[in-house]
Amino acid sequence: MREYSTPPTVDVPTTGNLTDDVVRNATEAPDAVVFSRPAGTGQDWEDVTAATFLAEVTSAAKGLVAAGIEVGDRVAIVSRTRYEWTLIDYAIWFAGAVTVPIYESSSAEQIAWILSDSGAKAVVAEDQGHVTKITEVRRDLTDLHHVWAINDNAVDVLTSLGADVADDDLEKRRTTPQPDDLATLIYTSGTTGRPKGCMLSHGNFQTELCVAVDELERLFSTEGASTLLFLPLAHVFARIIQVGCVKSRTRLGHSADIKSLIPQLQSFQPTFILAVPRVFEKVFNTASQNATADGKGKIFDRAADAAIAYSRGLDAGRVPLAVRAQHAAFSRLVYGRLRAALGGHCEFAVSGGAPLGDRLGHFYRGIGVTVLEGYGLTETTAALTVNLPDAIKIGTVGRPLPGTAVRVTDDGELVFKGGQVFSGYWANPEATADAIDGDGWFHTGDVGEVDDEGFVRITGRKKEILVTAGGKNVAPAVLEDRVRAHALVSQCLVVGDGQPFIAALVTIDQEALPAWAEQHGKELPKDGSVAGLVDDPDLRRAIQAAVDDANLAVSKAEAIRKFEILPYDWTEEGGQLTPSLKLKRNVVMRECRDEVAALYEV
C-alpha cells in the first residue's frame, strides 16, 4: 500500500464563510473590476466593480429573505452559465441559505428528483422553458414555494421584494453560517443510478480555495488576471473557479454560447481558461480540419509534431537544435494563430473531469499554452491534485494539494484525506458509509498510481476494469482517450468483459465528417449523417489508424482487435453523456447490447 501526503502551507479560516470575500473586496478595493458581463448583443463587455457586485448581491439576498427563505433552506438554480448565476449564488449565501445547482439541460424528471430530494424552498430558473419543466412536476413538490425566472427579471423582482429588509437583519443572516455549515448541495451527474447530493460546506470551499489560489498564484495573481467561464456552473469544477476568482479579485466573465466561444474569447482576452478534455480535443481537431480544408494539412501535422517534440524536450532537459528551429518557424506560422483564437493572452489552461492524454498535453504546451491537468470529484470540492506551472509532469494529474494525503489500496484504488473532502451524501447514510471508510479515507472509485515524487496518474475506473475471458485486466480509459483524439472520432466505448478479446464501438464527429467526405469524394445524405458510410473502406481505414495508435499504448493482450462504427452519435440529449460529457457506460452498454454481441459473433 503506497501513501503520499503534502503538508499544509497556508492557514485555513476557522470562522466566517464564503460571503466574506465579497464584503472584503468591496471594502478594500471598491473600484476593482471583478466581473465583466456581456453588454448588448455584440462582443462588448461591461465591467462590474467590487462595490457594485456587493450592492447587487445584497439587494437580491434581501428579496430572498422577504420571500421567507430561512437560514439553512435550500434554493435551487437552473440556468446556463451567466453573470446572474453567480449573483444569485452569492445572494443565497448572503441570506444564510444553501445553493442547489441543477444542470440547465436536465429533464423534468431529473429536476423533480433534485428538488424533492433536497427539499428546495425556491428555484431561480433561467427562462420559461425551465419554468415549464418545473410546473410539470410542481404538484409533487410540497416544499417548493417560489419559482423565479432570470429572463423574466428575477433579479429586479427580488430587489423590489426586499426593499424593506433592514441591512442589520441581512448582516445577521449573512454571518450566521460558519465553516462547518452547508454551503451547497451538488448532485452527482449520475453516470450510474440516481444522482446523490454531495454536502459541501463553507469550510470545504475555504480549504480548497486557500490552498489552490496560493498554489496557482501565477494564474490568479498575475496583473490583469482574468478568465472566461463557459463550463456549466452546476459542475463543481466551474464553481470552484467562480469562487476562487471572487476570492482573488480575478476578473471573471461568463459564456453560455459555445458556438460563439471563439469570438468571445478574442474579445474578452482571458489570461487562463478551464475546460474538460473534450474541449481541448475539439480545438485541436477543428484546427487540423481547417488546415486540411485549406490544403495545409501536412504543414499543420508537422507543426503539431514539432510542438509535441519541443514539449517533450523540455521534460528531458534538452530540446534538440533542429526541433528548436522548427518550433521557432511554426510559432510564427501556426502557433500564434492558435493562441489568438484563445484571445491572445492565454498562457495557462486548467483541465479536469477526465484524463487529457500525453499527446494533447505536450501539444498545447508546445504552442505556448500550458495545460495544468488536475484531478478531483464533486465529493472533494474539485481538486485533490493538480499540476503547477513550476511542478508539472504531463500525463499525470499532479501532486496532492497541501494538506491532502493520497493512498493506493491493495487493489489499486485511490483514496484521499483532506479538508476539501465532503462530509457525506444528503439524507443517504448508506452511500456515505460506502464512500468514506472507518479511518476517514474517501474512496474515489478510480484506479491509479503514485510515483516517487508524489505525482498521481489515473489509469481507470475501478468498476470499469474489464476482465477478458483469458483473465487479463484492461483499463478501457487508456484506449478510449487515444481513439477519441482522432479528428473524425466523437466517442469510443471499449468492451470485452468476459470476452475472448477487446473490441470497441466508435461514433463519428458530425462536424468533422463533411470536410472529410468532401476530401475523399464521398457523398453524404441530406441530413449529413454517417449512416451510409459506416462500412466505407476509407472511413474504416481512418478509424483503424486511430485504433492502431491507441493500441501502441497497451500490450497485445489489451489491444483492440475489432471495432464497429455506429450510424449515430452519443449525446447528452440522447441520455448517453452526462452534462460534463462523460460517457454513461451502463446506458450505452444497455442500448448497444446487440452491437456489442455482434462484435463477438463468429
Side-chain angles (χ1 to χ4, degrees), residues 4 8 54 65 89 103 115 191 225 239 245 257 260 266 269 281 416 423 432 481 494 520 575 592 600:
Y4 187 94
L54 173 61
V65 173
D89 195 16
Y103 286 101
L115 293 178
T191 54
R239 191 85 167 288
C245 285
D257 187 0
S260 301
Q266 292 170 344
Q269 298 183 341
E281 290 169 0
F416 287 85
S423 59
T432 300
D481 292 342
V494 169
H520 291 80
C592 297
Y600 296 99

Coordinates of all heavy atoms in Angstrom, one line a residue, residues 4 8 54 65 89 103 115 191 225 239 245 257 260 266 269 281 416 423 432 481 494 520 575 592 600:
Y4 N 1.2 9.0 0.0 CA 1.9 10.2 -0.2 C 1.1 11.4 0.3 O -0.1 11.4 0.0 CB 2.3 10.4 -1.6 CG 3.2 11.6 -1.9 CD1 4.6 11.4 -2.0 CD2 2.7 12.9 -2.1 CE1 5.4 12.5 -2.2 CE2 3.5 13.9 -2.3 CZ 4.9 13.7 -2.4 OH 5.8 14.8 -2.6
P8 N 0.4 21.0 5.0 CA -0.3 22.3 4.8 C 0.7 23.4 4.6 O 1.8 23.4 5.2 CB -1.1 22.4 6.0 CG -1.2 21.1 6.6 CD 0.1 20.4 6.3
L54 N -21.3 43.8 -4.7 CA -21.8 43.7 -3.3 C -23.2 44.3 -3.2 O -24.1 43.7 -2.6 CB -20.9 44.4 -2.3 CG -21.4 44.5 -0.9 CD1 -21.6 43.2 -0.3 CD2 -20.5 45.4 0.0
V65 N -34.9 36.9 1.6 CA -35.3 36.9 3.0 C -36.8 37.3 3.1 O -37.6 36.7 3.8 CB -34.4 38.0 3.8 CG1 -35.0 38.2 5.2 CG2 -33.0 37.5 3.8
D89 N -26.1 33.0 -6.7 CA -25.4 32.0 -5.8 C -25.0 32.8 -4.6 O -25.2 32.3 -3.4 CB -24.2 31.5 -6.6 CG -23.6 30.3 -5.9 OD1 -24.2 29.6 -5.1 OD2 -22.4 29.9 -6.3
Y103 N -28.3 21.3 -13.6 CA -27.9 21.5 -15.0 C -29.1 22.0 -15.8 O -30.2 21.4 -15.7 CB -27.4 20.2 -15.6 CG -26.0 19.8 -15.1 CD1 -25.8 18.8 -14.2 CD2 -24.9 20.5 -15.7 CE1 -24.5 18.5 -13.7 CE2 -23.6 20.1 -15.3 CZ -23.4 19.2 -14.3 OH -22.1 18.8 -13.9
L115 N -35.1 18.6 -6.7 CA -35.9 19.5 -5.9 C -36.6 18.8 -4.7 O -36.6 19.3 -3.6 CB -37.0 20.2 -6.8 CG -36.4 21.2 -7.8 CD1 -37.6 21.8 -8.6 CD2 -35.6 22.3 -7.2
T191 N -23.5 9.0 -13.7 CA -23.2 8.0 -14.7 C -23.8 6.7 -14.4 O -24.0 5.9 -15.3 CB -21.6 7.8 -14.8 OG1 -21.1 7.5 -13.5 CG2 -21.0 9.1 -15.3
A225 N -5.1 39.5 -14.4 CA -5.6 38.1 -14.4 C -7.1 38.0 -14.7 O -7.9 38.8 -14.1 CB -5.3 37.4 -13.1
R239 N -17.6 25.8 -10.6 CA -18.0 26.5 -9.4 C -16.8 27.0 -8.5 O -16.7 28.1 -8.0 CB -18.9 25.6 -8.6 CG -19.6 26.3 -7.4 CD -20.9 26.9 -7.9 NE -21.7 27.3 -6.7 CZ -22.4 26.4 -6.0 NH1 -22.4 25.1 -6.3 NH2 -23.2 26.8 -5.0
C245 N -12.1 33.1 -8.2 CA -11.9 34.4 -8.8 C -12.4 35.5 -7.9 O -11.8 36.6 -7.8 CB -12.7 34.4 -10.1 SG -11.9 33.5 -11.5
D257 N -22.8 30.4 -24.7 CA -22.9 30.1 -26.1 C -21.6 29.5 -26.7 O -20.7 30.3 -27.1 CB -23.3 31.4 -26.9 CG -23.7 31.1 -28.3 OD1 -23.6 29.9 -28.8 OD2 -24.0 32.1 -29.1
S260 N -20.4 30.6 -30.1 CA -19.8 31.9 -30.2 C -18.6 32.1 -29.3 O -18.1 33.2 -29.0 CB -20.8 33.0 -29.9 OG -21.9 33.0 -30.7
Q266 N -11.8 36.0 -27.9 CA -11.0 37.0 -28.6 C -11.3 38.4 -28.1 O -10.4 39.3 -28.0 CB -11.2 36.9 -30.1 CG -10.6 35.7 -30.7 CD -10.9 35.5 -32.1 OE1 -11.9 36.1 -32.7 NE2 -10.2 34.6 -32.8
Q269 N -10.3 38.2 -23.9 CA -8.9 38.1 -23.8 C -8.5 37.6 -22.4 O -7.8 38.2 -21.6 CB -8.2 39.4 -24.1 CG -8.4 39.9 -25.5 CD -7.6 41.2 -25.8 OE1 -7.2 41.9 -24.9 NE2 -7.4 41.4 -27.1
E281 N -9.7 18.7 -27.1 CA -9.7 17.8 -28.3 C -10.3 18.5 -29.5 O -9.8 18.4 -30.6 CB -10.4 16.5 -28.0 CG -9.7 15.6 -27.0 CD -10.5 14.4 -26.5 OE1 -11.7 14.4 -27.0 OE2 -10.1 13.6 -25.7
F416 N -8.3 9.3 -0.6 CA -7.8 10.5 -0.2 C -8.3 11.0 1.2 O -9.4 10.6 1.6 CB -8.2 11.6 -1.2 CG -7.4 11.5 -2.5 CD1 -7.9 10.7 -3.5 CD2 -6.3 12.3 -2.7 CE1 -7.2 10.6 -4.7 CE2 -5.6 12.2 -3.9 CZ -6.0 11.4 -4.9
S423 N -18.6 15.9 3.7 CA -19.0 15.1 4.9 C -19.9 14.0 4.6 O -20.1 13.1 5.5 CB -19.7 16.1 5.9 OG -20.9 16.7 5.3
T432 N -22.9 7.2 2.0 CA -21.8 7.9 2.7 C -20.9 6.9 3.3 O -19.6 7.0 3.2 CB -22.4 8.8 3.8 OG1 -23.2 9.8 3.2 CG2 -21.2 9.5 4.5
D481 N -9.4 7.2 -24.7 CA -8.9 8.5 -24.8 C -8.0 8.6 -26.1 O -8.1 9.7 -26.8 CB -8.0 8.9 -23.6 CG -8.8 9.0 -22.4 OD1 -10.0 9.2 -22.4 OD2 -8.2 8.9 -21.3
V494 N -14.9 1.1 -25.2 CA -14.1 -0.2 -25.3 C -14.8 -1.2 -24.5 O -15.3 -1.0 -23.4 CB -12.7 0.0 -24.8 CG1 -12.0 -1.3 -24.6 CG2 -11.9 0.9 -25.7
H520 N -12.5 13.2 -49.7 CA -12.4 11.8 -50.1 C -13.5 11.4 -51.2 O -13.6 10.3 -51.5 CB -12.5 10.8 -49.0 CG -11.3 10.9 -48.1 ND1 -11.1 11.8 -47.1 CD2 -10.2 10.1 -48.0 CE1 -10.0 11.6 -46.5 NE2 -9.4 10.6 -47.0
G575 N -29.1 11.0 -23.7 CA -29.0 10.4 -22.4 C -27.8 9.5 -22.3 O -27.6 8.9 -21.2
C592 N -26.7 -0.6 -26.6 CA -26.0 -1.2 -27.7 C -25.6 -2.6 -27.5 O -24.6 -3.1 -28.0 CB -24.7 -0.4 -27.9 SG -25.0 1.4 -28.4
Y600 N -18.7 -10.1 -31.3 CA -18.1 -11.4 -30.9 C -18.7 -12.6 -31.6 O -18.5 -13.7 -31.3 CB -18.2 -11.5 -29.4 CG -17.4 -10.5 -28.7 CD1 -18.0 -9.3 -28.2 CD2 -16.0 -10.6 -28.6 CE1 -17.2 -8.3 -27.6 CE2 -15.2 -9.6 -27.9 CZ -15.9 -8.5 -27.4 OH -15.1 -7.5 -26.8

